[in-house]
Amino acid sequence: MIWQTECTLSLLARHYRTLFRTCARCSSLDVGKKLHASIVTTGLVTCQNTFLRNAILHMYAACGSVLYARKVFDEIPLSYKDTVDWTTLMGCYARGGFPLDGLNLFVHMRKSDVLIDEYTMVVVFLASAKMGCEQFGVQGHGCMVKMGFSSSIKACNAVMDMYVKCGLIDKTRRIFSEMGEKSVVSWTVFLGGVVKWEGFENARLLFDKMPERNEVAWTVMIAAYIENGLTKEAFGLLREMLFESGFELNFVTLSSLLSACAQSGNVLVGKWVHVYALKMIEHEIDIVVATTLINMYAKCGSIDDAFRVFLVMPRRNVITWNAMLSGLAMQGKGDMVLDLFGQMIREVKPDDVTFTAILSACSHAGLVDQGRHFFYSLELTYGIKPSIEHYSCVVDLLGRAGYLEEAESIIRGMTIPPNEVVLGSLLGSCSVHKNLELGECLIKELVQMYPDNTKYHVLLSNMYSLAGKNDKANSIRVVLRSRGVRKVPGISSIYVGGQIHCFSAGDRLHLQSQEIYMMLDEMIRKIRLAGYAPDTACQKFSESDDGDYYGFGQEEKEQALFSHSEKLAVCFGLISTQAGMPIYIFKNLRICQDCHSAMKIVSKVYNREIVIRDRNRFHRFKLGSCSCFDYW
């Protein structure tokens, strides 16, 4: 009878371990919790030598449930924990957004004299990469060498990936060159690092030397071409990958390419990828791919296409809803965002990103009362503690509308220290509403926090100039010049003929520069007749484009304004596209007041829709007006 009981327990424990492994593979957390509860209530979990807690630990870790995984880990006696258990919990921490806890667990693991293996080192480098902590990564590299794992391809690949993400490409190259045996993953990791830190030209040289290429390597190279506006080269590699090398695009590669299109604004390749997904994927498009499609169309300015993808999706998760809300927010469609949120809460539970999108939409659309309501309801109604992003959005919302005292009061009452985005947002509002006293106070705080960031000095200099305090403005400029300050240049990009064309202020490097400036002269003449007046007051010392206009005469200031990057880009669009075609421009900085005024008139004079995506939002100019209604 004793033998039969032990045999039954052993079979039952083995059966439960199999079930827990199945839950881990399928990420079935709810089922796993029920199984866990059943063995606790029956007492089976306390039986010796069943190793059930170990199986439960792995199930919770695979499902990303960090708190439950840690609780079960602590319940396992030290003598029953092996290297795999420690490594599993470390990986759960690293992937679950708690990399520091994972690294602390590694330290505890070493103090407990638990053996480490190559997989442990892989997780150490993963956690270091997540933190961007090169110090711990370098120490981990030393530990890897001392423990004799330098010949492990997996460990070397992981340490290279860590160095790439920490920006240490020279260390990555050294490890790669010292590896006796390299896998295709080794080549791909190094390729990704070269693309990121040395440019696509060097990456292409390495890509051509690869003895073997996987889907990831092809995707990295194609995405690099897309991000740099080389559409023809991207299509050439796509054709070679699909038709000559026999690979197919899976949901991971599709998502990566679409993300590259979103970043660069390349809707041409994005639409091709969309069509490919519809033709090649027999069942419904993966929810991740569909969500990335929404993000791509939204960031490329095709918000109607984004909404069509959203509407036909049979299933939507909170990330999908957030992508749609964020896209609408960038377009300034605040009322539509609020209407859609009402539908969302009937389908999924909103998260912190949802409310960042909502507050941003309210800010762009001037919906002050609605934005206030959501911000003050965050914790009470939705159980979400305000994040730095929420504070930044609500300060921007109130500041734009002129409620500077309320915005300052919110900052002073923050439960977390304000960062430069929060303070800088209020400073920008002080500039708009000419509150010099508050602006000076904010500058002092920002200088203490970020002494090397000079863009706020530039803003204060402009505020002094507009207030007639030229002596103070000039003293700031003298300091900036003595420190060799160079502002980030404004770059405007436009896609024509499948290629990207980039312009900076006063740029004459384009092959069609002569035609562009001829069109610029014509355009300025026509819009002046239609009522355009150059606004030199907004360009004392500008962040929007290169050029310090201090010391210039009125005519020189006007000429500098005329050659701003977005004006050059729109002129190129006018001479390079058919009449009546929309013109899409992407700018790395905020559009200036003068260009904003000019674009409204250009859209009317030339009967063109002009869409400009700047650093903050979209501006859609049509028939003499802008979608932002001049509230930006």
Side-chain angles (χ1 to χ4, degrees), residues 404 426-443 456-470 472-473 476-477 537 540-541:
L404 301 182
L426 183 55
L427 179 61
S429 298
C430 290
S431 177
V432 171
H433 297 286
K434 299 179 175 57
N435 189 326
L436 195 56
E437 182 180 353
L438 179 56
E440 289 176 325
C441 293
L442 292 169
I443 278 288
Y456 302 115
H457 295 80
V458 172
L459 190 56
L460 184 62
S461 172
N462 290 346
M463 291 172 66
Y464 280 137
S465 293
L466 293 173
K469 299 184 178 183
N470 292 321
K472 288 190 174 183
I476 293 177
R477 294 190 184 108
K540 298 294 182 183
F541 197 113

Side-chain angles (χ1 to χ4, degrees), residues 598-615:
M599 291 302 164
K600 288 193 294 183
I601 303 175
V602 171
S603 70
K604 184 177 182 179
V605 168
Y606 288 91
N607 193 25
R608 293 284 196 118
E609 182 180 8
I610 302 170
V611 181
I612 297 182
R613 185 185 83 182
D614 71 3
R615 185 179 60 188

Side-chain angles (χ1 to χ4, degrees), residues 322-336:
N322 289 344
M324 193 67 250
L325 293 173
S326 298
L328 291 168
M330 284 187 68
Q331 296 278 347
K333 298 182 180 294
D335 290 330
M336 196 170 178

